[in-house]
Amino acid sequence: MAEAAGGPRPRRARRGARSAPTNILQQLRYGQLSGCGLTRGTQITEALLKERDKQAKWSGIPLLLQKLYQQSHPNSDFSQCQSILKEISPLLSMEAVASVTEDKKAAQESTFPNTYTFDLFGGVDLLVEILMRPTLITQKKKQKISDDLIKDCLSILYNTCICTEGVTRRLAERNDFVLFLFTLMTNKKTFLQTATLIEDILGVKKEMIQLDDIPNLGSLVSSFDQQQLANFCRILAVTISELDPGSDDKHTLLAKNAQQKKNLGPSRAEINQATLLNIPGFIERLCKLATRKVSETTESSDESGLANTSTRAQLPQPMKIMHEIMYKLEVLYVLCVLLMGRQRNQVHKMIAEFKLIPGLNNLFDKLIWRKHSASALVLHGHNQNCDCSPDITLKIQFLRLLQSFSDHHENKYLLLNSQELNELSAISHKANIPEVDAVVNTDRSLVCDGKRGLLTRLLQVMKKEPAESSFRFWQARAVESFLRGTTSYADQIFLLKRGLLEHILYCIVDSECKSRDVLQSYFDLLGELMKFNIDAFKRFNKYIDTDEKFQIFLNQINSSLVDSNMLVRCITLSLDRFENQSDAKVAEVLSECRLLSYMSQMSMRMSFLFRLINIIHVQTLTQENVSCLNTSLVILMLARRKEKLPFYLHTLQQMEYTEKYPGFILNNFHSLLRFWQQHYLNKDKDSTCLENSSCISFAYWKETVSILLSPDRTSPCAIVSYIDEAYMDVDRDFAEE
């Protein structure tokens, strides 16, 4: 071999050069970092290693690595390697188990000395060489490595990764090794160890891998059984999700817009999503996995260690259920990400065709929202009500999927059964309004079956949810997404008849909900449920039947306008429409409803407008709070329709003077509207959401913003006309602040 056991003599240091460390461990680390002198433990003589081993408490690891190095030369048959690894493995696995409970911030070499020593003396690099050796040799007769040897190498690498800082990142930087690992997944016997290591490596990889680079990806995926495919979804999740920037500053719309300008083409995550959709049968298999019943499951004997399916049948039922929950979790996550991607319509068409929604409906009671039994299995160190438990996580992932599925898409009516679709039609006929095209065009063979559809089942569990439940937020989001888009009177009445409005008001007023996230989701849902619907306002007034209740409701709205502004927008838009109608029923509700009477006061609308503009700034705009800007615009667009825009602007100016800070609101609003133009007039932006949510054409939005931003100080509708020159600050380049 090129290197003898003792290794070549170290180079003599140049004069004036920094002297290398004299301690063996320091020399090794110095050599690995600099490439000079000792770079791996096999360069140290066996005699010296023996002499130092006991005193240094190396547990014989350097000597074992030296033997492994000698037994794994290019012409070796690896016959002796496995017995050496069998000696090394227990020394590392003990530390790997301990690492789960140890404080990771403690010094790694002192906490996990064996794995640290294994890495320091070149063990990680040596195992990578052994695994990849067959791919690097050009001889016709290539070396073969046994499955057991591969499994041992992978297990030791994984244990070292979780115990020793930096190892996972070093492996992640070796793209050739990462892609090579995928080739090991074709072997059922080494699949699980390979998948576990890949997942760990991809979790720290700075640059996302491209699925197209994986050799024969389509064949690889086709070779997986259903359990392997579910496990593979854990890996896919990392490759199709956009990387989290990790800093709140980078979540601002300013930062996102700047990033989009740099990234002109699709991201790697988007490319990977497209790659998956091009694999024949991939989505169909995911839908089958997501919807199969526990009684239909079989397990790969190689992967699980179970001898055959009869052994599988002997598993306790709770364990079978837990296995299935874990698999479904991964699959639903991948489907959810694909539903939110660029190929959304293609994914929608596929999962409708493969009956994902009716399949999930059939699993709802027995698996997804099943009642916990005393013997139900939970993760070690957790309980059944812990947010980390598989049961809880499955429910949340299921609700996220429903939200993504329903949001602004006509396929949302697949969440109903045929009887419920007929009910929607009857509501439209009774109100003498046209049926929604999407209801008429829904393929009845693809909808839910049984007595109740998935949406109705969700409403039932939603109303029974305890006040402190973490599901309330996701349940409200899922139902709201069904209503989102062009307002449908029939959809609203369908939900009103099932007591949804009263349930929401109970949660906001009677239980005085304190969670900001839950409150926001309830306000958003209430806004969609009540918008333009006079029956909903009548029901609201019937429930909020005392001044005390109404004051609690207002206190909840005013406690955080960022959370409640969508409801404020709904009330404002609805009031405007009702005031323009000459219907006796509408007139009656207008005169009686506390909420509409409250919003009809000019002072209340101005108060909301002032605060909405004041709580946001261009530098702090995010996807969460930009709705405050659009709500303030809605108030001013409605004022413009009634030719009251100058009055509103003048009132804002007066309110500034009252606060003894002239110009601070209007200068800020001017900057916000300039940003609005940059953001919403971008050719890639979809303006239909603004139109659908307000029933105001996007052309009118653009026109109103242009009028407000006019530089003409003589214009009664221009913001600059209401800012004294001494306080004018409207030309600043906010992108550079």
Side-chain angles (χ1 to χ4, degrees):
M1 293 192 64
E3 292 179 353
R9 292 173 63 187
R11 295 178 190 168
R12 182 171 298 190
R14 298 189 315 275
R15 282 190 187 176
R18 199 177 187 177
S19 59
T22 53
N23 177 288
I24 289 179
L25 299 185
Q26 290 175 343
Q27 283 187 58
L28 273 173
R29 187 55 85 208
Y30 173 80
Q32 289 166 356
L33 294 172
S34 66
C36 302
L38 289 175
T39 55
R40 63 164 69 197
T42 52
Q43 293 171 294
I44 303 169
T45 62
E46 185 177 342
L48 182 56
L49 290 178
K50 282 182 177 177
E51 180 188 327
R52 294 283 300 143
D53 187 82
K54 193 170 185 181
Q55 185 181 349
K57 297 181 180 178
W58 288 337
S59 303
I61 290 173
L63 285 164
L64 289 168
L65 284 175
Q66 196 165 65
K67 285 183 186 176
L68 185 63
Y69 182 77
Q70 292 162 352
Q71 294 297 326
S72 61
H73 56 81
N75 297 317
S76 163
D77 61 1
F78 297 117
S79 58
Q80 302 300 314
C81 292
Q82 195 168 354
S83 61
I84 298 169
L85 289 180
K86 292 294 183 192
E87 291 186 62
I88 295 174
S89 185
L91 298 171
L92 309 189
S93 59
M94 288 166 56
E95 292 185 351
V97 171
S99 74
V100 178
T101 53
E102 289 284 349
D103 179 7
K104 288 290 183 84
K105 291 181 181 177
Q108 296 289 333
E109 55 267 41
S110 60
T111 311
F112 308 117
N114 290 344
T115 46
Y116 179 78
T117 303
F118 177 80
D119 178 42
L120 186 65
F121 281 84
V124 170
D125 295 332
L126 182 54
L127 291 193
V128 170
E129 280 180 29
I130 291 172
L131 285 170
M132 294 188 71
R133 181 78 50 76
T135 68
L136 303 175
I137 293 176
T138 55
Q139 299 167 357
K140 287 183 180 179
K141 189 179 180 183
K142 295 192 175 184
Q143 291 170 298
K144 285 188 178 179
I145 305 181
S146 71
D147 294 339
D148 288 337
L149 179 57
I150 292 173
K151 285 168 74 171
D152 287 342
C153 287
L154 292 170
S155 295
I156 290 173
L157 283 175
Y158 178 72
N159 288 339
T160 311
C161 282
I162 61 175
C163 290
T164 305
E165 193 175 2
V167 172
T168 317
R169 291 193 184 280
R170 284 205 333 262
L171 292 177
E173 288 167 6
R174 290 200 54 174
N175 217 44
D176 60 335
F177 179 63
V178 176
L179 293 175
F180 162 76
L181 284 175
F182 281 95
T183 66
L184 296 181
M185 298 184 86
T186 56
N187 187 337
K188 285 185 173 11
K189 291 183 178 178
T190 60
F191 174 88
L192 206 54
Q193 286 82 2
T194 310
T196 306
L197 183 59
I198 291 175
E199 187 186 352
D200 207 49
I201 290 173
L202 294 187
V204 301
K205 194 167 174 59
K206 288 182 181 177
E207 193 175 52
M208 189 180 288
I209 66 161
Q210 231 166 279
L211 292 178
D212 271 339
D213 293 339
I214 298 173
N216 305 313
L217 177 66
S219 303
L220 176 67
V221 173
S222 299
S223 72
F224 294 154
D225 61 30
Q226 289 294 75
Q227 271 65 33
Q228 288 175 319
L229 183 61
N231 279 308
F232 190 59
C233 282
R234 289 178 68 93
I235 294 168
L236 292 181
V238 185
T239 68
I240 60 175
S241 306
E242 297 292 351
L243 294 171
D244 186 355
S247 164
D248 287 341
D249 294 339
K250 293 181 182 177
H251 289 293
T252 65
L253 294 182
L254 264 182
K256 285 185 176 180
N257 289 354
Q259 192 62 38
Q260 283 172 358
K261 287 179 184 177
K262 291 179 186 176
N263 304 333
L264 298 177
S267 67
R268 283 211 167 177
E270 290 169 334
I271 293 170
N272 286 341
Q273 290 171 22
T275 299
L276 288 180
L277 291 176
N278 288 330
I279 297 175
F282 177 71
I283 297 295
E284 183 178 8
R285 290 188 68 191
L286 290 192
C287 290
K288 284 181 178 176
L289 247 175
T291 58
R292 71 177 182 180
K293 297 174 183 175
V294 178
S295 58
E296 298 170 350
T297 60
T298 58
E299 183 133 7
S300 158
S301 58
D302 289 325
E303 178 190 337
S304 65
L306 300 174
N308 50 47
T309 51
S310 64
T311 314
R312 158 76 180 169
Q314 294 167 14
L315 278 175
Q317 187 68 8
M319 190 175 286
K320 288 183 189 177
I321 291 172
M322 193 53 62
H323 281 183
E324 198 57 28
I325 284 174
M326 297 296 284
Y327 294 142
K328 282 176 168 41
L329 253 177
E330 311 304 338
V331 172
L332 291 182
Y333 179 84
V334 170
L335 287 172
C336 191
V337 172
L338 293 174
L339 268 174
M340 296 187 290
R342 285 197 180 196
Q343 287 82 20
R344 185 182 187 218
N345 287 333
Q346 182 186 351
V347 179
H348 248 292
K349 186 178 178 182
M350 287 178 168
I351 62 178
E353 179 188 343
F354 301 131
K355 298 191 174 184
L356 175 70
I357 297 302
L360 291 175
N361 188 44
N362 292 333
L363 289 176
F364 188 86
D365 291 329
K366 291 187 177 177
L367 187 71
I368 299 171
W369 227 272
R370 69 195 179 102
K371 291 180 181 177
H372 292 303
S373 64
S375 61
L377 292 178
V378 293
L379 295 177
H380 177 69
H382 299 268
N383 60 55
Q384 289 173 347
N385 299 316
C386 171
D387 280 353
C388 304
S389 78
D391 267 315
I392 303 278
T393 314
L394 177 67
K395 289 179 173 66
I396 292 173
Q397 197 54 60
F398 164 76
L399 293 170
R400 290 182 67 183
L401 179 84
L402 290 194
Q403 180 187 355
S404 305
F405 181 81
S406 303
D407 195 17
H408 292 90
H409 204 283
E410 59 189 21
N411 273 359
K412 67 182 184 179
Y413 291 108
L414 297 180
L415 295 174
L416 310 182
N417 63 21
S418 291
Q419 293 83 1
E420 291 163 346
L421 284 171
N422 293 339
E423 185 182 338
L424 283 181
S425 301
I427 292 169
S428 297
H429 292 151
K430 185 178 179 182
N432 199 26
I433 57 174
E435 279 191 76
V436 177
D437 288 342
V439 175
V440 177
N441 297 331
T442 296
D443 184 343
R444 298 293 180 108
S445 69
L446 302 178
V447 301
C448 294
D449 47 19
K451 292 182 180 179
R452 293 181 295 275
L454 205 45
L455 180 64
T456 305
R457 288 181 188 275
L458 176 56
L459 289 174
Q460 287 180 321
V461 296
M462 185 178 180
K463 290 197 281 188
K464 295 175 183 175
E465 209 60 52
E468 69 284 356
S469 170
S470 58
F471 298 133
R472 283 187 165 205
F473 169 81
W474 294 108
Q475 289 167 337
R477 279 281 176 259
V479 178
E480 184 220 339
S481 69
F482 179 81
L483 289 169
R484 213 179 287 162
T486 305
T487 303
S488 164
Y489 175 81
D491 292 355
Q492 291 172 325
I493 295 297
F494 179 86
L495 295 173
L496 286 170
K497 287 169 66 177
R498 284 157 175 79
L500 179 59
L501 183 134
E502 289 79 8
H503 167 71
I504 297 169
L505 292 176
Y506 170 81
C507 294
I508 294 173
V509 176
D510 295 307
S511 72
E512 293 193 55
C513 174
K514 296 293 188 293
S515 164
R516 296 255 53 97
D517 287 340
V518 173
L519 263 180
Q520 184 186 47
S521 65
Y522 280 158
F523 283 134
D524 289 351
L525 174 54
L526 192 60
E528 293 294 340
L529 187 62
M530 295 180 68
K531 193 190 300 175
F532 306 133
N533 193 310
I534 198 69
D535 298 299
F537 280 90
K538 190 173 183 179
R539 277 177 174 255
F540 175 94
N541 212 45
K542 187 177 179 182
Y543 190 91
I544 306 295
D545 55 356
T546 66
D547 290 341
E548 183 186 3
K549 277 188 175 182
F550 187 58
Q551 192 55 53
I552 294 172
F553 183 75
L554 289 181
N555 290 343
Q556 291 282 48
I557 285 181
N558 288 314
S559 64
S560 176
L561 268 185
V562 171
D563 300 325
S564 63
N565 84 88
M566 294 297 287
L567 177 61
V568 171
R569 189 190 306 184
C570 145
I571 303 165
T572 307
L573 285 163
S574 301
L575 175 65
D576 181 76
R577 178 175 290 192
F578 297 155
E579 286 177 338
N580 292 318
Q581 291 176 344
S582 54
D583 181 280
K585 178 183 175 184
V586 171
E588 181 188 352
V589 176
L590 264 176
S591 64
E592 293 178 356
C593 181
R594 286 180 171 84
L595 191 56
L596 292 172
S597 300
Y598 178 83
M599 193 58 79
S600 67
Q601 301 172 52
M602 172 63 75
S603 60
M604 292 301 107
R605 291 202 297 277
M606 288 307 309
S607 172
F608 279 123
L609 179 61
F610 187 88
R611 285 182 291 151
L612 284 167
I613 298 171
N614 194 31
I615 58 179
I616 50 174
H617 305 276
V618 171
Q619 289 72 27
T620 58
L621 279 179
T622 64
Q623 205 63 49
E624 287 296 308
N625 62 24
V626 72
S627 56
C628 293
L629 174 56
N630 290 322
T631 298
S632 64
L633 258 177
V634 164
I635 294 172
L636 290 176
M637 282 190 292
L638 297 179
R640 182 186 162 215
R641 277 182 178 174
K642 296 179 179 178
E643 299 183 348
K644 290 184 178 179
L645 188 53
F647 176 79
Y648 275 68
L649 293 174
H650 177 66
T651 306
L652 283 175
Q653 183 189 39
Q654 289 182 316
M655 294 171 83
E656 285 181 330
Y657 276 96
T658 303
E659 295 284 332
K660 295 185 171 57
Y661 200 165
F664 83 109
I665 285 291
L666 291 172
N667 276 313
N668 183 43
F669 193 43
H670 194 280
S671 292
L672 287 165
L673 293 181
R674 283 167 55 220
F675 173 82
W676 188 95
Q677 284 184 323
Q678 284 189 14
H679 186 68
Y680 284 102
L681 303 187
N682 185 309
K683 63 181 180 180
D684 294 330
K685 275 289 168 191
D686 184 4
S687 59
T688 55
C689 290
L690 290 179
E691 287 188 324
N692 290 339
S693 68
S694 63
C695 288
I696 300 173
S697 73
F698 190 62
Y700 197 79
W701 284 79
K702 291 192 293 184
E703 194 176 272
T704 304
V705 172
S706 295
I707 289 170
L708 287 165
L709 289 179
S710 169
D712 182 3
R713 290 181 61 81
T714 64
S715 167
C717 294
I719 292 174
V720 293
S721 301
Y722 299 89
I723 308 174
D724 293 341
E725 282 198 41
Y727 305 112
M728 187 84 71
D729 187 19
V730 297
D731 298 320
R732 187 184 304 172
D733 185 358
F734 49 73
E736 295 178 1
E737 287 183 6

